[in-house]
Amino acid sequence: MTPIRPPAPPVLDEDSLLTLYESTAARLHRYVARRVGADAAQDVVSEAFLVLWDQRAGQPFAADAARAWLYGVATNLLRRHVRSEERKLRAWSREHTARTDVADIGDQATAVADAALLAGPLTGWLADLRIEEREVLLLTAWAELAPAEIAVALDVPVATVRTRLHRARARLRTRIAETDTKGENHA
């Protein structure tokens, strides 16, 4: 007696990819834009769909798995973008350490600085999280993915996602409590 196997998920065809694009692109763009800004987000989203299209033949996808996989691709592209930007900023810093003229700061650096000032302490707290914890937290909060979808996106077990999310939230709660306590002491 041969075991009964579930049918393999379908491979993405043009119509399925178009449906996925229509249902996911705007949300994916919002998630990515929150991380790197609207200009870079368009490039990351486009590249993520291009990667999905290029690799669709070798990947059988159920609809939800394709969406989660797409967020995983976007997250990897974000990592590459952030590393590239960090290298550029470090190189810029080395090149311009002697300069103190604020007018020489590029528009992008100014925008990043303004965003950091406006975001308040939360920006620093997010930056202090381990990258793995920050990614899980942002995929939950900004992309509204469930732990199972994040597990697919990041290629880690669901338990790992839940642990990272718990740790990130606990660290942020601690920082908020510390800030509240400091505020009460000064009032």
Side-chain angles (χ1 to χ4, degrees):
M1 182 182 236
T2 57
I4 299 175
R5 295 183 183 169
V11 173
L12 283 177
D13 58 8
E14 281 186 50
D15 292 335
S16 299
L17 185 65
L18 181 60
T19 301
L20 179 66
Y21 180 82
E22 290 170 350
S23 67
T24 307
R27 282 182 56 194
L28 182 61
H29 186 273
R30 279 192 302 275
Y31 166 70
V32 173
R34 287 175 168 171
R35 304 270 313 259
V36 294
D39 293 338
Q42 189 61 42
D43 293 339
V44 170
V45 170
S46 298
E47 192 171 348
F49 274 99
L50 182 61
V51 168
L52 180 64
W53 179 253
D54 287 345
Q55 296 183 5
R56 76 191 184 290
Q59 300 282 344
F61 288 112
D64 288 342
R67 184 172 75 101
W69 192 82
L70 186 63
Y71 273 91
V73 169
T75 298
N76 287 334
L77 293 170
L78 282 170
R79 287 178 188 158
R80 187 174 69 193
H81 175 81
V82 168
R83 284 191 305 267
S84 173
E85 188 170 66
E86 285 175 354
R87 283 191 302 272
K88 287 177 190 174
L89 289 173
R90 283 189 192 106
W92 182 85
S93 175
R94 283 191 305 271
E95 184 178 323
H96 296 91
T97 52
R99 292 186 184 178
T100 57
D101 186 8
V102 176
D104 289 337
I105 298 175
D107 290 339
Q108 186 176 13
T110 303
V112 169
D114 288 345
L117 289 173
L118 293 174
L122 182 59
T123 303
W125 298 341
L126 287 173
D128 289 343
L129 292 174
R130 289 179 40 234
I131 185 76
E132 298 86 2
E133 294 169 354
R134 183 172 51 246
E135 286 174 348
V136 168
L137 182 68
L138 296 178
L139 283 168
T140 300
W142 291 350
E144 300 175 6
L145 294 183
E149 293 173 308
I150 296 170
V152 171
L154 300 179
D155 195 26
V156 296
V158 176
T160 301
V161 170
R162 288 191 174 112
T163 300
R164 289 175 181 173
L165 185 58
H166 174 76
R167 288 179 181 160
R169 287 175 172 164
R171 285 190 172 104
L172 290 178
R173 275 194 290 274
T174 300
R175 297 297 294 269
I176 291 168
E178 290 170 356
T179 302
D180 288 345
T181 303
K182 289 177 187 176
E184 290 171 6
N185 291 340
H186 294 289

